[in-house]
Amino acid sequence: MGSQAGVGFSKKADSRENGIEAAQLALKEAGATSADLVILFTTGKHDPAKLRDGVRSVVGANAKIVGGYSMGIITRSHLSYDGFETGLAVVKSDTAKFDTFIEKGLVGNESKVGVALGNQIRNRDYVGERNVLVMYDSVKSKTEKGTSLNLATPLIEGIESSLGTMSRVAGVGMTDGMQWNPTHQFFDDQLERHTAIATVFHGGVRMDTTIMHGCVPASDYHEITKAEHNVIYEIDGKPAVDAVAEMLGPGSDRTWEDYPLFVTLGLNNGDKFGDFKETDYANRLVMAIDKEKRALVMFEPDLKAGHEVQLMRRSIDFSYIGKRAEDLLAKIGDRKPLFALYIDCLARASAYCGTEGEEAAEVQRVIGSKMPLLGIYSGVEIAKVGKLTQALDWTGVLCVFTE
């Protein structure tokens, strides 16, 4: 039989019926009657238990289910968000292997959870190469004072400290949108919060990835002179908010109230004085402003004092997106495509970044004609940047699974 995969979609408002429809359509595309693995994403408008029960009633009692929340869903023929969207991928195989792992208690313990998750993965036997897909709960808390996030950087460092460097890895920080409401994660029949989940594909399955960047430098290099955890207090010896205002220039119509989800800082991991290479950059998005301290609150804690950063200008070239997808397809050679997963920063959606069309439509065009496609909107993306596994902002990570 080999492996069969399919993707299903639903926008039904009734949560159980929504899960049933999405699962039925996925199995139909796969040409299967049950599933071994289900990757499930839905918006926060659903009752997660009813939706899960609907999916389970279709995919069978033995299917492993992993997933969580997303602002919207992308498939071969659908792209929509901020509604009742559910998307799921199913895989049925007598050759491919899927091992799933979960660690709880993420709040304040990202590194420890990462170490424990890495230990779980390390202590299992695999057939051939490991391909690791990481999913974690982005939202730590939401209060009247603002939103606090679970951080991917210490989670990744923890995983690799016990597991070793992951050669094939991708991941997603899950959220249901710009409101940063609390989320649920799916793990088999469990409904959880504040967890990190890993799925390891092996037994002949290979995951190839590429990063869809969308920023170019818009300033010279500026040194971070004071930072702690994920807060940048000073740049070039000035309050960070004031330094950004200078970078934007006197003609800018942006004020500090606009900085969250707009101001992006880039860290060049390549040659500082060479030609611009987008693949060398890790971009960091401002999440919030500390008005009292005139500081930037970042999505991740990896920008530190001494780092030289540039203000980045968002520039999504649709033809570039298509070319990156085509280049990734060329890498798979004569391997059999199973399905693709597109992890797309929610701030790249047209409604939030102001583009006339959706950049994910290029992924639909190139990938959707070749294999089943499941796309999700993320708070944080995880991928390899050079030899480093890094948390990313304002990117898309395209994963193609083949055997």
Side-chain angles (χ1 to χ4, degrees), residues 59 62 81 87 118 124 181 218 226 305 312 327 359 379-380:
V59 300
N62 296 323
Y81 41 84
R124 192 75 58 89
N181 292 318
K226 184 178 180 181
M312 305 298 285
D327 289 345
E359 52 85 23
V380 173

Side-chain angles (χ1 to χ4, degrees), residues 266-272 277 279-283 385-386 388 390:
L267 182 66
N268 185 359
N269 292 301
D271 182 0
K272 176 180 174 182
K277 293 182 180 179
T279 53
D280 289 335
Y281 276 76
N283 296 318
V385 179
L388 301 176
Q390 289 199 303

Side-chain angles (χ1 to χ4, degrees), residues 200-248:
V200 179
F201 298 78
H202 57 113
V205 176
R206 191 177 81 193
M207 178 179 69
D208 290 290
T209 64
T210 192
I211 299 173
M212 309 295 190
H213 296 273
C215 295
V216 296
S219 77
D220 294 330
Y221 288 93
H222 296 268
E223 183 179 354
I224 296 174
T225 47
K226 184 178 180 181
E228 184 177 349
H229 199 46
N230 66 324
V231 181
I232 298 175
Y233 293 99
E234 293 181 1
I235 299 175
D236 295 336
K238 306 169 186 175
V241 168
D242 299 334
V244 169
E246 290 185 11
M247 292 183 220
L248 289 171

Side-chain angles (χ1 to χ4, degrees), residues 342-360:
Y342 188 40
I343 302 166
D344 198 13
C345 177
L346 57 86
R348 288 161 65 98
S350 174
Y352 297 104
C353 72
T355 54
E356 292 185 3
E358 299 286 355
E359 52 85 23

